Structures are given as structure tokens and as C-alpha cells.
Amino acid sequence: MHRVAIVGGGTGGTVLANRLADELQPEIEAGEVDVRLITADEHHVYKPTFLYVPFGKKTVDDAKRPIEELVDRRVTLTIDEVTDVDTERKQLSLAERATALSYDQLVLATGATLEPEAVPGLAEGGHHFYGPDGAEALRDELAAFTEGHLVLSVVGVPHMCPAAPVEFVLMVDDWLRERGLREEVELTYTYPINRAHGLEPIADWASDLFEERDVNLETFFNVDEVDPDAEVIETVEGKELAYDLLVAIPPHRGSDLVTAAGLGEDGWVDVDRHTLEATAAEDVYAIGDTADVPTSKAGSVAHYEAGVVADRIASRVRGTVPTATYDGKTVCFLEAGMDEATFIEFGYGEEPYVREPSTPLHWAKLGYNESYWLTARGLL
Amino acid sequence: MSNAISPDVTIDSRGATCPGPLMDLIGKVKTLEPGTVVELQTTARNSTTDVPEWLEEAGHDLLEIEELDDEWRIYLEVN
């Protein structure tokens, strides 16, 4: 029996499990292969939904489905927390299970974790839309916000969905205009480096739109501390910025499991960027946010990486040389307001081209979000 | 390594694309005492312009940029 263990039931882990169920169907049915998905959460969460929650366009319940409904019945589903990875003995320890689980091939898809407490005062003084509780609290705050200074500050880099902070600012600008409140609200966007985004074409596109829509842009802005009582942000560069409503992208970290297993610092697994195989251990792969590859922490990355790793694992199971490789493909829809969006795609070493925003692309983004559940099932 | 400068702290950001090396540097500099000499190793050409700009903004001193084969060593002193 060849045992494939996948840790993490987000986009990467779920797509991969379903792809392998299809790809290895004959071997699974013959009892030669076991594909096991281990996840601590009974629900699968589609995080891009949270961007719409503060504006009342979606609810947090829209973002989740029972993982049991999404995973192919040929996959062994284990709801449990992996507490230790031993890559020497090829074993996993689980919280609820007395004996260790052995694997032949392991995929880590444990995602990214928010860490607002890494910056003093941020958890108390800031809001965010990167999780269910944060998105709901921001929705309530935004509904009551009629005047003052709204600051969107990108505190942590890298973070999930690099486009989302720009999207949020363009959406909130439009949302306030629709309510006749835009004149009463000053909007500021801050970013740690010397432009509005890590990718230059997006930075240029966003900077032009910010100017058009009267959004202040602060660059080289690295938040050192937030004073929640005085409502002031202090930066490493010695700047101070007063706010009335702070929406912050919190620092992110990877999984402690990864660090403890010696697979990478900060919880991101060091991998070959093309094969997605861990550099520090044999027969270990990482996909999605967990993999330390030079592209975005985005769902599309997890999706394409899952396809590549499914092919590589299937080749190993069959004793053939794996040839599938990941070329850095990343695809993102970007909202440019409440009813228009653009679309970018790029790979390693490529610069994205930002198309003129349009209403059809906005509807394409919403349509994709709805059909996402087919993606998770491995059908799209 | 530069002959003239012996760093107290070395940050290996080789392989990381922009803005990775700059963010690695900013994260580390926050924790260092004034006077600490740092070496940033990077393979991202953008670092050679982004890092000096940030150092000026944040008030730290650029000491030297050394070019090797497809990678750079940026030396600075924390103020």
C-alpha cells in the first residue's frame, strides 16, 4: 500500500486530494494506494469571500462548506490536528490519535496564519477582513462610519491575496460615494516599500486610480506600533499617522509544524520552485501559502500547484519519472470598485499586464467565486 | 565578502523576489541596536535601488553595494 498524506483542507489540499482521487482511481480501487486528507477544520473556507463581508455583499457563512461535501469519497478524510511531522521516520503525530500515521509521500498545505499581535496595539486598534470575525467586526464598524480618516495599512508582507488591500480601498471609495459620504471621509493607503504594491504594474495602476479617486498614498510606511487610545500609527521610519478607522493587513506567519520539522523558517516550507519538493527532506512537498516560492500567496497559485504535485505524486506511485513542473502561474481578478474589475495573470519572471477595468470582469469575478466550489472538487 | 567591512549580522535573502529582501531587512533592522553593521545578500536587482531609498527614508547609513555574479551584497549601518 502506497500512502499519500495531505495535511490541510484549504484550496491546495482539497484540490490535490480530489485530483489524486481521479488520477489514481484504479490504484485506489485495487487497494494499492491510500490518499488521506488530514485537516483540523470540519469546514473548507473560501477566504476571498471575506472581502465582500464588510460591504454587506456576502456573509461569513457564504465562505464555508463542510469539507466532507467537497472531498471525493475515494479520499480517506481525517478530521484531526497534526501535531508533529517526522520526516526521518516518515510519520505524522495527530492530536486525537494515539498511534503515529506513516506516509510514503507527504504534502503540506497548512496555509498562512494571521498574527496581528506581532505589532503592539494592532489587535486592539485595527480591523481587518482576512478572517470571519475580523470581516464581521469591520462590517459593523463601516456601517456606523460616516466621517473621519479611514486608513488602509498593509502592515504584513507577504500576506494572503496581495491584491486585496488595493481592492478594498477602491471598493470602500465607491461604497462611500454611493452613500453620499465620500466628501466626509479622508482615505489613505499605506505600503511598506517605495510604491503601492510589490508588482510594479499593479503599483502603477493603483497609484493612478488612487490619484483619480482622491486616495492618499503613503509609501515606505512600516508600522512599528499602533496606539489604540490616541488612534495613531507610528512607523519604523519615524512617521506618525492619525486615523479614525484603521483597516490593517496583519502580519502573517506560516505553520509552527513546519518550523519544528526543520522544513523552513517562519513556517514556510523551503521548496524547489518548480517541483515544489522540500529541500530539507525526501518525499515531502508543499503547496499553497505554505510553499516558499517567489509568487503570490493566492488561491490560484495553490490550485495550479496542486495540479503539478498531483501529477508528480501519481508518477512516483507508478514508478515513472515525474515531469510536471510549476511555472509560477498566478491568476487574479481585482475589483476596481463595487461594479468593475480587472484581471491579471503572470508566471515566474513575468510582469502582469493590467487590463482596463470593466463591469463584465466584475461579474466574471463574482461568477468565479460562485463556481469556486467546483474548483475545490477538482472539476475546474 | 567585502574586505573592508565585517558585518555583525548577515541576512540571506537570495532567491527572494522583490519586495522580499527589503522586507527581510526592515524586519531585522527593527530589532537591532544603533551601530550594528548589516550585510544583506540578495539576488533581486531591484534591491540595489529600493534598499538605499529605504535606508535614506528611515535614517540608516548605506556603506557599500558589492556586485557578485548575479547577486549583490548590501552593507549598511543601523542608526
Side-chain angles (χ1 to χ4, degrees), chain A residues 3 5 82-94 99-104 106 261 284:
Chain A
R3 296 149 303 183
V82 174
T83 54
D84 186 54
V85 177
D86 184 339
T87 58
E88 288 291 315
R89 301 170 70 184
K90 292 192 162 185
Q91 286 185 338
L92 304 174
S93 302
L94 277 67
T99 53
L101 206 61
S102 297
Y103 66 82
D104 296 292
L106 171 68
V284 178

Side-chain angles (χ1 to χ4, degrees), chain A residues 353-377:
Chain A
Y353 164 70
V354 186
R355 294 159 178 81
E356 188 66 26
S358 70
T359 304
L361 278 170
H362 165 70
W363 288 106
K365 173 158 184 163
L366 296 187
Y368 177 79
N369 285 352
E370 290 302 315
S371 63
Y372 168 75
W373 305 106
L374 298 175
T375 297
R377 287 191 175 95

Side-chain angles (χ1 to χ4, degrees), chain A residues 267-344:
Chain A
W268 317 119
V269 179
D270 292 328
V271 293
D272 179 293
R273 69 173 71 175
H274 296 292
T275 65
L276 304 167
E277 292 176 14
T279 52
E282 293 286 314
D283 298 316
V284 178
Y285 308 77
I287 57 174
D289 292 352
T290 315
D292 194 3
V293 293
T295 188
S296 301
K297 296 203 178 300
S300 64
V301 170
H303 176 189
Y304 293 122
E305 289 175 340
V308 169
V309 169
D311 281 357
R312 295 188 72 84
I313 285 176
S315 296
R316 287 258 159 78
V317 165
R318 293 173 180 146
T320 58
V321 177
T323 53
T325 53
Y326 177 60
D327 59 4
K329 187 173 180 184
T330 308
V331 171
C332 298
F333 284 103
L334 285 87
E335 296 287 14
M338 295 308 287
D339 59 6
E340 58 177 11
T342 183
F343 171 82
I344 54 168

Side-chain angles (χ1 to χ4, degrees), chain A residues 58-73:
Chain A
K58 292 280 180 189
T59 68
V60 295
D61 283 343
D62 292 332
K64 64 180 186 181
R65 296 269 175 97
I67 191 148
E68 208 175 29
E69 290 179 10
L70 297 173
V71 174
D72 192 291
R73 61 177 175 76

Side-chain angles (χ1 to χ4, degrees), chain B residues 2-79:
Chain B
S2 170
N3 291 326
I5 301 169
S6 55
D8 303 305
V9 174
T10 298
I11 305 167
D12 184 356
S13 291
R14 289 173 295 175
T17 50
C18 179
L22 178 57
M23 295 313 299
D24 289 348
L25 176 70
I26 292 169
K28 191 73 187 173
V29 163
K30 279 168 72 170
T31 67
L32 299 174
E33 296 292 323
T36 307
V37 174
V38 180
E39 174 188 348
L40 176 69
Q41 304 178 344
T42 174
T43 47
R45 182 179 289 275
N46 277 352
S47 301
T48 61
T49 50
D50 292 354
V51 171
E53 273 188 52
W54 180 76
L55 292 173
E56 194 176 340
E57 186 80 16
H60 304 296
D61 292 334
L62 175 69
L63 301 178
E64 188 184 324
I65 299 179
E66 187 184 1
E67 185 168 356
L68 308 173
D69 291 342
D70 295 326
E71 59 179 87
W72 292 266
R73 303 275 193 269
I74 302 175
Y75 297 91
L76 57 119
E77 185 174 334
V78 177
N79 278 328

Side-chain angles (χ1 to χ4, degrees), chain A residues 129-201:
Chain A
F129 54 87
Y130 271 61
D133 297 344
E136 282 188 333
L138 179 56
R139 177 197 61 201
D140 298 345
E141 199 69 27
L142 207 52
F145 188 72
T146 54
E147 60 178 348
H149 190 192
L150 191 158
V151 176
L152 181 294
S153 184
V154 179
V155 175
V157 178
H159 58 79
M160 294 181 264
C161 190
V166 171
E167 292 183 282
F168 181 84
V169 168
L170 297 174
M171 289 168 80
V172 82
D173 164 74
D174 208 358
W175 195 77
L176 291 166
R177 282 177 204 278
E178 282 174 12
R179 277 157 187 73
L181 297 170
R182 185 62 180 90
E183 296 290 313
E184 313 302 321
V185 176
E186 184 181 3
L187 274 180
T188 298
Y189 171 99
T190 82
Y191 203 71
I193 62 167
N194 54 343
R195 54 178 180 269
H197 194 274
L199 295 167
E200 283 192 58

Side-chain angles (χ1 to χ4, degrees), chain A residues 6-14 37-41 43-45 67 70 109-110:
Chain A
I6 303 162
V7 183
T11 299
T14 307
L37 178 65
I38 308 154
T39 175
D41 192 343
H43 289 94
H44 175 97
V45 177
I67 191 148
L70 297 173
T110 43

